[in-house]
Amino acid sequence: MSNFKWTFYTRGERYVNYDYCSADGTMRQQWKHAVVVVCVIFIILNISIYSNTIAWRDLNMNNIIYEDSIKFRKLLEQDQFSEKFHPVGTKRRFPQCIIFGVRKCGTRALLEFIGLHPQVQNAEHEMHFFDEDEKYNLGLEWYRKHMPYSYPEQITVEKSPRYFITDKVPERISMMNSTIKLIVVLRNPTTRVLSDYTQVYYNKLAKGVTFQKIEELVIDPYTGEINTDYKAVRISIYHHHFERWLRVFKREQILIVDGDNLILDPVSEIKHVESFLGLEHRITQDNFYFNKTRGFFCKKQGSMEKCLGATKGRPHPGTHPSVIRKLNKFFKPHNEKLFKMINRTFKWS
């Protein structure tokens, strides 16, 4: 059979390539192999493209789900959805009662204990709305939306101990509600100083930071007298701060809870709070049990028992008796001014 040649054209140019020999079929076999290789490569490429498409689609779906969950959580935080998910008949209300102080006197215990009453709804966190300008400038509606849902017959209670010592707070609260009920917890000022120091001491200790001994903070190294520049001491001069509150609110609007007695006999103090808020006496000795390990009373509701957090009730670092005596002597005239101002005395007089 005669030989002939395949001719290929590329970009208009003419090339003569291989001789095609139909006699032995060699070139035919080579072309078959080439076609098979091309087909295999084509199939592999398609499988790879398909697999990648599926993977990217799944990845995009996961991203969409994650992003949607983030958006949903943000919407919940912004209260756009949570308004729809609450018991029928409840709504967020401004607090009718505020526990405004004093730090390290038992405000958390009081809030937890009074929260056992079915007609009380507590704000979960310290809001610091009236003492922090950044939050206050967000407006009262922002504050209301951070209150718990409550029924009309329930009382909403918020507590932020720093309110007690912040100058502008009484006026700000009065502008919201001039007839609001207020509760302050007081305890022996010397004990309060030690407790204040203890909290800071353990916080520093947990961070591995060396902290000054209490004697170095409480006693002025130059005069040997009580150091009134130490914040823990200034907070415990109660009459300085109380005077500001009595300029804005009537005395009968403020209930003073004995923080020392709250530790020893919580039921008696809670009864005063119930009466002050116009509530039935529903909290009894059955709502408490004494935790021997912690050394104080914890709350009990049905089968549930709960103590305050581990940061509460920690032992005070050792303090020299002479420092205790100086603190007691220092606070004595200040306590007398307070007793005269509030027309009440305490055992730590």
Side-chain angles (χ1 to χ4, degrees), residues 98 130 163 169-177 180 245 249:
I98 293 179
F130 296 102
Y163 290 167
V169 169
E171 288 80 6
R172 286 178 171 180
I173 292 178
S174 180
M175 283 189 287
M176 179 190 70
N177 181 0
I180 194 169
W245 287 86
F249 295 102

Side-chain angles (χ1 to χ4, degrees), residues 22 25 32 61-62 70 78 80 82-83 87 100 150 153 189 220 234 239 249 284 302 315 328 336 345:
S22 60
K32 285 182 178 180
M61 285 300 297
N62 288 336
I70 293 295
Q78 293 168 4
Q80 295 181 24
S82 60
E83 290 289 344
F100 66 96
S150 63
E153 67 274 11
D220 188 313
R234 294 202 309 273
H239 69 91
F249 295 102
T284 68
N328 288 336
E336 290 172 354
T345 59

Side-chain angles (χ1 to χ4, degrees), residues 13 36 106 120 150 163 192 228 238 243 253 264 292 310 328 332 334:
E13 297 181 4
V36 171
V120 172
S150 63
Y163 290 167
R192 202 218 69 83
T228 54
Y238 300 138
E243 184 180 14
Q253 285 180 250
L264 301 174
K292 294 181 179 180
N328 288 336
K332 185 175 177 59
H334 293 295

Side-chain angles (χ1 to χ4, degrees), residues 288-301:
F288 300 94
Y289 72 97
F290 188 78
N291 187 309
K292 294 181 179 180
T293 303
R294 303 296 300 279
F296 52 74
F297 282 95
C298 300
K299 66 179 185 178
K300 180 171 62 175
Q301 195 167 23

